[in-house]
Amino acid sequence: GDRPPIRILSLLPNPAGNERQNETITISNIGTEDVNLTGWTFRDRAGKTWKLDDWGTLPPRQDRVIKRNGQPMWLNNGGDAIDLVNPAGQVIDSMSYGSAEEGEVFFPSS
């Protein structure tokens, strides 16, 4: 079947202030159905994760800014690759980025 319609829209690896709290990843539901984010995770190259369980349901055609809020994965300021993983363990989307200046937002290159 088709992969679920959630995509990574942007990453903020090096926010002003407390990076443990303020790093963000923005996702979008590009489909026509609600997607429950329980069980979804972001995962970095080192295998660390952010859980999306607290972010509820993402309605169609809506974006959501996911704040780190102290979760164990971090967005390396020197660059990294982030996978969006569904509850079945499938990688649904991925995005890599290079060195991050403070406040710099990264978007998919494709």
Side-chain angles (χ1 to χ4, degrees):
D2 293 333
R3 58 184 185 152
I6 304 290
R7 299 289 177 268
I8 299 173
L9 276 191
S10 64
L11 305 172
L12 177 61
N14 190 359
N18 183 346
E19 295 193 21
R20 276 187 65 80
Q21 299 300 326
N22 296 342
E23 290 178 347
T24 62
I25 301 175
T26 303
I27 58 173
S28 183
N29 180 350
I30 62 172
T32 56
E33 312 266 322
D34 287 355
V35 176
N36 183 333
L37 296 174
T38 300
W40 288 73
T41 56
F42 296 120
R43 186 176 65 209
D44 68 5
R45 282 194 184 117
K48 295 190 184 303
T49 60
W50 289 6
K51 296 184 185 334
L52 276 63
D53 293 356
D54 295 340
W55 295 92
T57 295
L58 185 55
R61 311 288 175 207
Q62 291 205 12
D63 305 339
R64 189 156 297 160
V65 178
I66 310 291
K67 279 191 72 170
R68 180 175 170 191
N69 291 339
Q71 296 217 55
M73 185 191 91
W74 60 90
L75 298 174
N76 293 316
N77 292 347
D80 207 345
I82 304 299
D83 292 333
L84 174 64
V85 184
N86 76 2
Q90 299 165 297
V91 175
I92 301 306
D93 199 16
S94 296
M95 188 179 148
S96 56
Y97 63 94
S99 185
E101 300 294 324
E102 184 169 302
E104 184 176 4
V105 177
F106 290 86
F107 300 94
S109 48
S110 53

